[in-house]
Amino acid sequence: MVPEPRSSTAAQVLVASNRGPVSYSVGEDGELAAKRGGGGLVSGLSAIGDEADALWVCAALGEGDREAVRRGVSEPGVRMLDVDADAGEGVHAAAYNGIANSVLWFVHHMLYQTPLEPAFGPEFRAQWAAYETYNRAFAEALAAEAAPGAAVLVQDYHLTLVPGMLRELRDDLRIGHFSHTPWAPADYFRMLPDDVAEQVLRGMLGADRLGFLTGRWADNFTECCVRLLGGTSGTRIGVHGLGADADFLRERSRRDDVEERMRALREQIGEGRKTIVRVDRTELSKNIVRGLHAYRQLLEDRPEWRERVVHVAFAYPSRQDLAVYRDYTAEVSRVADAINSAFGTEGWTPVVLHVKDDFARSLAAYRLADVALVNPIRDGMNLVAKEVPVVSDEGCALVLSREAGAYEELAEDAIAVNPYDISATADALHSALGMAPEERAERTKRLAAAATALPPTQWFLDQLHALTGGPS
C-alpha cells in the first residue's frame, strides 16, 4: 500500500544527502544564522525550481542544525532530519563515522591495512544497526514528502540502503542513486561481511537507475552484483562525469580577495621561481604524504631545481574527529617541515604549507601554478584536476594519478603517474616543470575544455531527465 504524502505541497523532485545546502550556527544572542552552500546539486535544484516543487532532505550535522530543527526553523525547500532526536543519541555518529567514513569509504578507496584491518565484530554490528536506522529515517522522510510519481535522487555512500527501503514504502516513485566515490572491485568489496555486502547491493538496486562518475566505477559495481547476486535485477546504470563550473570559477578567481592572496603567495614563493601546487583535504585517499616524498626525491635527484621551485601545498584538515585522520594531518606537517629543514636556505622555503581552509587562496594558487600535482590513491573524480586548468593564468602542466576518476577524461593531456611510485612521480614533476610554455598552454586549453564538458547544473539535470524520461 502506498502511503499518502503528508501535505498538499508534496514535492515532485527530491534530493537526499547527508550534508544539505544550508547549515546553521547559534550566535551569542541565541539567534540562528543560516549559511547557504554551493555545488552541483544546489545549482541543479535551482535550475528545476520553475518546473517542479523541489525538496532537499538532509541531516542535522551540528548543534546549530539540531537547534534549528528543535525550533522548527527551516529554509524553503529543505527538510533537515535530527536523526539522534528521533532514533536515539549517537545514531548519526555511529552511522556516519563508524560505517560511512570508516568502513564504506575505506572499502571503496581501498585504504585498509589488511594484516590488521578490517575486523568486523560486535562493535561493527552495533554501528551497522545505526546505519540501517539512519537510512530508514531518510526513506521514511522521503516517502512522507514525495508527491505521487515523484523523482527522488539519493546521494552517495551514506545512503546506500535508502533506495530499497523507499521502494518498499512508495513503489510509485522514480528513484535514482548517485555514487560520488569510486566503487571497489568485487574481490575488495567482498571484504565486507557477506550479509552486509549483499544488503548494500540490494539497497542500491532498489533504485530505478544508478549513476557513477566513470565507466570504471560503474563496471566495478556491475561486477559486484554479478558475483554476489547474479545480476543487477534490471536496474539501469549510467555514467555522469561531473565537470567544473567554468563561469563561476573564472568570475570568482578574478575578485579582489584572490588578487590580494596572489600577491601574498608571490612574496612567499619568491621572484622567478616555478610553483608546484596541490590543494586537498587531509583525506587519507588524497596521498599528500607520498606527494611530499616525491617532491623531496625531485630535490635530491635533480639538484638544479633547488631554489628554483616551491611546492605550494594546501592541506585542509578533514575528519579530525577520527584519530587516523588526525595522525595523517600531523604526518603531512612533519614531512613538510623535514623537507624545509633538509633543503631550505635563508631565501628559499621549499614547501609552503597552509592548513587553514581558504577558497580565495586556493584559487590564487590555481592561477599561479606551473604544475598541479593531483596524485590520489583513488578518487571518484577529483575536481581540483579539472578546476586548475580552467583558471590558470599562464597554463599549467597536470601531474595526475591514473587512479583518479578525472583520469578517464584528462589522460591525453596530463602526465600520468602511479600514485604509489614516488620515484616515477618525482620524474613526472621534473618533466612537468621542464615543459615548454607553448605546449603547456595548449595542453591547458584542451584540459579546460574536457574539464567543463558537463558542468554541475547540466550534470544534475542529465541524471534527472535520464530517470524521468525528460529532455536529453
Side-chain angles (χ1 to χ4, degrees):
M1 179 179 176
V2 178
E4 290 293 323
R6 74 174 191 168
S7 72
S8 59
T9 57
Q12 297 288 343
V13 177
L14 301 93
V15 166
S17 64
N18 178 70
R19 182 177 300 278
V22 65
S23 60
Y24 294 92
S25 58
V26 182
E28 291 182 5
D29 58 0
E31 292 297 309
L32 285 168
K35 180 180 179 182
R36 194 83 179 179
L41 290 172
V42 175
S43 301
L45 271 182
S46 300
I48 57 97
D50 295 335
E51 303 174 19
D53 294 316
L55 179 70
W56 194 317
V57 178
C58 58
L61 298 182
E63 186 51 41
D65 290 354
R66 289 187 285 272
E67 182 61 25
V69 175
R70 284 193 287 269
R71 297 184 191 180
V73 173
S74 64
E75 299 292 298
V78 178
R79 181 179 172 191
M80 196 171 277
L81 307 177
D82 186 355
V83 178
D84 285 354
D86 296 329
E89 190 68 30
V91 169
H92 180 268
Y96 179 70
N97 284 330
I99 297 298
N101 288 343
S102 295
V103 175
L104 297 180
W105 181 274
F106 272 59
V107 167
H108 290 315
H109 291 83
M110 300 172 66
L111 294 175
Y112 280 123
Q113 298 181 60
T114 52
L116 299 174
E117 55 185 13
F120 297 122
E123 182 182 7
F124 166 79
R125 289 295 172 177
Q127 292 171 335
W128 183 253
Y131 183 81
E132 292 173 312
T133 300
Y134 177 70
N135 276 249
R136 191 171 298 109
F138 271 84
E140 290 173 352
L142 292 165
E145 298 284 1
V152 181
L153 293 153
V154 182
Q155 305 299 310
D156 227 0
Y157 61 103
H158 313 90
L159 301 175
T160 61
L161 306 183
V162 167
M165 292 175 170
L166 183 56
R167 176 68 63 207
E168 292 180 1
L169 295 171
R170 293 286 303 274
D171 193 44
D172 61 307
L173 301 178
R174 289 166 291 180
I175 304 170
H177 184 284
F178 192 86
S179 293
H180 296 261
T181 65
W183 195 272
D187 286 341
Y188 206 92
F189 184 75
R190 294 188 77 173
M191 281 198 293
L192 290 170
D194 292 352
D195 61 318
V196 168
E198 182 174 334
Q199 194 176 350
V200 167
L201 296 177
R202 291 196 186 282
M204 297 271 286
L205 293 177
D208 297 285
R209 190 174 187 277
L210 300 172
F212 296 88
L213 286 164
T214 72
R216 181 181 177 188
W217 313 142
D219 290 345
N220 283 354
F221 175 82
T222 299
E223 178 65 15
C224 286
C225 291
V226 170
R227 294 266 297 273
L228 276 71
L229 305 178
T232 56
S233 303
T235 296
R236 291 176 289 138
I237 294 175
V239 173
H240 303 271
L242 175 62
D245 187 339
D247 292 341
F248 165 74
L249 288 168
R250 286 173 179 145
E251 185 278 325
R252 181 67 185 86
S253 66
R254 285 344 190 234
R255 292 186 196 172
D256 290 345
D257 60 343
V258 176
E259 298 286 351
E260 177 187 327
R261 284 158 176 78
M262 285 180 70
R263 288 191 290 272
L265 282 172
R266 284 195 183 101
E267 188 173 332
Q268 285 185 295
I269 292 163
E271 191 67 33
R273 292 186 175 122
K274 295 203 170 189
T275 57
I276 299 170
V277 168
R278 79 171 307 134
V279 177
D280 280 309
R281 294 174 293 110
T282 54
E283 159 57 53
L284 307 182
S285 63
K286 298 299 184 182
N287 209 25
I288 300 169
V289 170
R290 284 195 190 90
L292 288 166
H293 285 313
Y295 177 63
R296 178 174 187 137
Q297 194 70 44
L298 171 75
L299 298 179
E300 288 180 351
D301 294 347
R302 314 276 185 173
E304 66 268 26
W305 286 117
R306 295 176 192 175
E307 301 205 57
R308 292 180 54 216
V309 64
V310 172
H311 186 11
V312 178
F314 297 165
Y316 302 141
S318 173
R319 298 176 184 170
Q320 296 299 289
D321 46 354
L322 296 175
V324 66
Y325 283 83
R326 293 194 298 272
D327 293 345
Y328 189 76
T329 302
E331 180 66 4
V332 169
S333 294
R334 189 196 68 77
V335 174
D337 289 344
I339 294 170
N340 287 335
S341 295
F343 295 97
T345 64
E346 185 175 344
W348 173 55
T349 303
V351 180
V352 172
L353 177 67
H354 288 280
V355 296
K356 184 178 180 182
D357 199 347
D358 184 332
F359 185 55
R361 189 175 57 210
S362 297
L363 290 173
Y366 288 178
R367 287 181 58 184
L368 290 171
D370 295 293
V371 177
L373 175 58
V374 181
N375 67 320
I377 293 168
R378 200 168 168 82
D379 220 334
M381 177 54 69
N382 195 295
L383 282 177
V384 170
K386 293 187 168 185
E387 291 169 351
V388 175
V390 172
V391 301
S392 172
D393 281 1
E394 303 293 336
C396 177
L398 175 62
V399 175
L400 180 62
S401 167
R402 66 192 187 199
E403 297 302 312
Y407 178 76
E408 195 163 295
E409 299 164 75
L410 306 182
E412 188 173 342
D413 288 296
I415 300 174
V417 292
N418 171 348
Y420 301 97
D421 192 336
I422 290 168
S423 296
T425 303
D427 290 342
L429 291 173
H430 173 69
S431 297
L433 288 166
M435 189 179 291
E438 300 80 9
E439 180 183 356
R440 198 175 67 196
E442 285 302 314
R443 287 195 188 211
T444 301
K445 286 180 187 176
R446 292 192 296 267
L447 286 167
T452 56
L454 192 62
T457 298
Q458 193 59 47
W459 167 83
F460 177 86
L461 292 176
D462 281 3
Q463 292 174 68
L464 178 62
H465 294 149
L467 180 62
T468 63
S472 59

